[in-house]
């Protein structure tokens, strides 16, 4: 398919996200098994169920556009899986593996958030309100999941520090940076880390 129109670019990027969600449906249970038992494992299993819903939403998006669901290899997401596999080859301790997997999950969620924001922008430009609503649902869940992953990573880091006799305050990444240019995503994160409100655009075309 030639990517020579805004609609075809949207289809391409939808296909890349569909590939990502299908890939994560397979990966998340494996991460849960590696980190079992505990809250981290449960979080991976919960998000696997949510990811099934994300994939279903994307299939509906394809139907709205009048095409069969298709995939384009998402090298960003699959590259993170390759990093994980290379790390496991180094035979890390369970504690190190749990912390690594949480970091990889955070990277994955932030990549998905950026991808869904891009898709929402494209859908908005094309006036595809119904499609944007489904993408917005996925974005809301990914944003909530990113917040949960960051919290779990902080709890795990402080638990490991405590086991070594150290007391560590709760981590806040925002204390180490300043947002030089205000963006919609920055406003959302600084204001309410657990929700994203999607404002429906005016329909621009049938």
């Amino acid at each position: 398919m030639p990517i020579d129109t805004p609609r075809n670019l949207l289809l391409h990027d939808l296909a890349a996200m569909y590939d990502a969600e299908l890939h994560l449906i397979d990966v998340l249970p494996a991460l849960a098994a590696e980190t079992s038992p505990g809250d981290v494992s449960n979080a991976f299993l919960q998000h696997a169920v949510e990811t099934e819903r994300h994939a279903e939403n994307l299939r509906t998006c394809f139907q709205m556009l009048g095409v069969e669901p298709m995939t384009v290899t998402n090298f960003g997401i699959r590259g993170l899986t390759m990093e994980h596999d290379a790390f496991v080859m180094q035979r890390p301790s369970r504690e190190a593996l749990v912390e690594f997997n949480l970091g990889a999950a955070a990277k994955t969620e932030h990549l998905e958030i950026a991808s869904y924001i891009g898709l929402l922008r494209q859908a908005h430009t094309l006036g595809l309100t119904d499609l944007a609503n489904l993408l917005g649902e996925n974005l809301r869940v990914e944003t909530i999941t990113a917040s949960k992953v960051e919290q779990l990573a902080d709890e795990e880091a402080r638990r490991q520090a405590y086991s070594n006799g150290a007391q560590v305050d709760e981590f806040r990444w925002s204390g180490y940076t300043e947002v030089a240019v205000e963006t919609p995503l920055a406003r959302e994160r600084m204001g309410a880390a657990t929700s994203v409100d999607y404002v429906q655009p005016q329909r621009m075309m049938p």
Side-chain angles (χ1 to χ4, degrees):
M1 177 185 69
I3 308 174
D4 53 2
T5 66
R7 184 179 185 277
N8 284 354
L9 176 59
L10 174 63
L11 284 170
H12 172 275
D13 291 350
L14 275 175
M17 278 310 301
Y18 188 46
D19 179 74
E21 301 291 13
L22 293 179
H23 180 66
L24 292 172
I25 288 170
D26 292 333
V27 168
L28 286 165
L31 296 180
E34 287 179 352
T35 55
S36 179
D39 292 341
V40 175
S41 178
N42 292 338
F44 283 133
L45 289 175
Q46 177 185 343
H47 195 49
V49 175
E50 294 167 343
T51 303
E52 293 271 7
R53 174 63 178 170
H54 294 175
E56 179 61 32
N57 283 347
L58 292 179
R59 283 191 286 272
T60 302
C61 287
F62 282 114
Q63 292 171 7
M64 289 178 173
L65 293 169
V67 300
E68 291 295 321
M70 56 185 176
T71 60
V72 170
T73 302
N74 193 309
F75 291 102
I77 295 296
R78 291 178 180 271
L80 291 172
T81 301
M82 293 174 64
E83 284 186 353
H84 164 271
D85 294 345
F87 183 77
V88 170
M89 292 292 291
Q90 300 179 52
R91 299 181 180 178
S93 66
R94 182 186 182 281
E95 290 76 12
L97 182 58
V98 170
E99 196 162 351
F100 180 89
N101 283 351
L102 284 169
K107 293 176 187 177
T108 300
E109 292 307 315
H110 288 292
L111 178 55
E112 288 189 282
I113 288 168
S115 298
Y116 276 118
I117 289 174
L119 284 168
L120 275 166
R121 185 177 294 112
Q122 291 170 300
H124 173 84
T125 301
L126 293 170
L128 301 172
T129 305
D130 292 339
L131 188 139
N133 288 337
L134 286 174
L135 296 172
E137 179 183 329
N138 286 11
L139 174 61
R140 280 189 289 273
V141 176
E142 301 293 7
T143 305
I144 292 169
T145 301
S147 179
K148 290 179 179 177
V149 167
E150 297 289 0
Q151 181 179 353
L152 285 169
D154 183 46
E155 291 172 355
E156 178 64 21
R158 285 187 287 132
R159 186 193 65 77
Q160 291 189 30
Y162 181 77
S163 68
N164 292 322
Q167 292 280 359
V168 180
D169 293 333
E170 189 172 357
F171 174 69
R172 286 285 184 269
W173 67 266
S174 57
Y176 292 85
T177 186
E178 293 182 0
V179 180
V181 179
E182 187 179 27
T183 66
L185 180 58
R187 288 197 298 272
E188 294 288 355
R189 285 182 174 169
M190 300 302 286
T194 59
S195 66
V196 172
D197 293 327
Y198 176 68
V199 179
Q200 295 186 8
Q202 295 294 319
R203 184 179 292 274
M204 299 171 62
M205 60 182 293

